Amino acid sequence: MTVLIAFLANILVAIAKTIAAFLTSSASMVAEAAHSWADAGNEIFLLIADRQGGRKKDERHPLGYGRSAFVWSLIAAFGIFTAGAIVSIMHGIQELASDEPVEDPMIAYIVLGIAFVLEGASFTQALIRSRRLARERRTSTWDFVLQTSDTTLRAVFFEDAAALIGLILAGGSIALHQITGEAVWDAVGSILVGILLAIVAVVLIGRNLAFIVGTSPAPELRSRVGRALLEASAIERVTYLHIEYVGPNRLFIVAEIDLAGDEREHDVARRLREVERQIEAHPVVETVVLSLSVDDEPSLEFAASFATRPELK
């Protein structure tokens, strides 16, 4: 729903900015139009990411299709860089030597104001959701957005935040053009919008690459998973734990455990399978593989400060 709201907002804003850019001949408005069309196109990639990443695992993909969400989000981030950042910067550079005044700037201000309201509504949705999830994990909203495996939420959050900042830059550039009579300020606004988009694109590209290649989970997540394993009545201790993301909010867990009791090999194997099925019932666990610990292997310790946080996301 967050992505869909952002998509609809960007389409409306892109149309309005394109008309305003044509009527005003403003370089900053051209940059903003390119920005919004790029965002609208990227939302399509994010919708595909949600759809593809949610497919169930099968024989060919035993860990599911979750990583495809990171791939499609990576493509969307490259779209921001190419269709948004490069176009805006190049157009601004071309307009540096121009002395053509902005025609009827009031149109630009009206469109920018409407765009700010629409983009603000979309950003508010992403911010509310991010704050709620950050509170559940007892972390800051900023840290959550940067570290979360929910790649579409992060993309919408950053894109909408950049959109709001870009609108301020564009409006300020047009105002400076009016005040000083220097057309260079309008061109500078286009360049600044492009630089802003480039920064956002680099951040999103880096985060998606990290999840595609494989990134270590946060210590809090490792502690939550370890505590959750130890809370199972059949598990006495954990001596090895490996966790990796195989999609947004989807985990692959490998652990070596010591089962309570001293049963025969056949019964132990059956109990291991039962414990695996219980763990895989958790909505964020894609697959878990358990094996038995050796007697002389040391037990792992998990921070008690995270024991009150049952979520594994």
Side-chain angles (χ1 to χ4, degrees):
M1 181 60 70
T2 302
V3 178
L4 186 58
I5 292 173
F7 174 72
L8 294 175
N10 280 320
I11 286 291
L12 294 175
V13 170
I15 294 173
K17 287 180 181 177
T18 301
I19 295 173
F22 177 77
L23 294 176
T24 62
S25 301
S26 167
S28 294
M29 287 305 302
V30 171
E32 277 298 303
H35 178 183
S36 292
W37 282 117
D39 281 353
N42 292 338
E43 304 303 340
I44 295 176
F45 289 124
L46 295 179
L47 289 170
I48 295 174
D50 275 347
R51 184 177 180 84
Q52 292 293 321
R55 295 170 63 186
K56 300 296 183 183
K57 59 185 178 182
D58 52 35
E59 292 183 359
R60 295 186 60 187
H61 299 84
L63 295 180
Y65 292 81
R67 284 194 177 98
S68 64
F70 301 135
V71 175
W72 284 104
S73 296
L74 179 65
I75 295 173
F78 274 111
I80 297 174
F81 189 81
T82 55
I86 293 179
V87 170
S88 299
I89 292 173
M90 292 301 297
H91 183 70
I93 292 174
Q94 292 171 357
E95 293 295 318
L96 282 175
S98 174
D99 58 358
E100 182 179 355
V102 174
E103 300 176 7
D104 203 351
M106 186 56 64
I107 294 177
Y109 293 138
I110 292 173
V111 170
L112 290 174
I114 294 173
F116 196 90
V117 173
L118 292 175
E119 296 283 10
S122 177
F123 178 71
T124 299
Q125 292 291 325
L127 180 62
I128 290 174
R129 183 181 176 192
S130 298
R131 281 182 172 175
R132 176 174 57 81
L133 294 173
R135 283 196 299 268
E136 290 178 2
R137 292 154 182 76
R138 296 184 182 178
T139 186
S140 69
T141 302
W142 178 253
D143 287 341
F144 168 77
V145 172
L146 280 179
Q147 300 299 326
T148 181
S149 61
D150 191 338
T151 181
T152 54
L153 176 60
R154 176 170 46 249
V156 171
F157 184 95
F158 273 98
E159 287 180 11
D160 287 346
L164 293 174
I165 297 173
L167 291 169
I168 295 173
L169 291 174
S173 298
I174 295 173
L176 286 173
H177 182 178
Q178 275 191 283
I179 294 170
T180 64
E182 298 291 338
V184 67
W185 286 111
D186 190 33
V188 168
S190 179
I191 295 173
L192 290 177
V193 170
I195 293 173
L196 172 66
L197 294 179
I199 294 172
V200 170
V202 168
V203 171
L204 294 179
I205 289 170
R207 294 308 300 151
N208 283 298
L209 280 176
F211 282 103
I212 291 172
V213 174
T215 183
S216 300
E220 306 96 284
L221 175 63
R222 182 177 175 84
S223 292
R224 291 199 299 272
V225 172
R227 299 289 303 187
L229 289 173
L230 291 174
E231 287 173 1
S233 59
I235 298 178
E236 193 167 273
R237 65 193 187 104
V238 178
T239 59
Y240 173 81
L241 179 60
H242 169 80
I243 308 167
E244 65 179 88
Y245 288 101
V246 292
N249 296 326
R250 304 299 294 175
L251 302 177
F252 172 51
I253 301 172
V254 180
E256 291 182 4
I257 63 172
D258 188 8
L259 289 173
D262 188 15
E263 298 177 284
R264 295 178 302 172
E265 181 179 347
H266 173 77
D267 295 330
V268 168
R270 186 180 298 278
R271 289 186 66 195
L272 273 179
R273 297 297 175 269
E274 291 176 353
V275 174
E276 286 176 346
R277 284 195 292 270
Q278 291 173 4
I279 297 173
E280 288 177 349
H282 195 287
V284 306
V285 178
E286 187 69 51
T287 302
V288 62
V289 177
L290 300 178
S291 60
L292 294 178
S293 303
V294 178
D295 291 343
D296 58 357
E297 289 181 334
S299 301
L300 297 180
E301 299 292 335
F302 302 104
S305 59
F306 302 122
T308 59
R309 299 158 71 178
E311 303 87 353
L312 299 183
K313 297 180 182 179

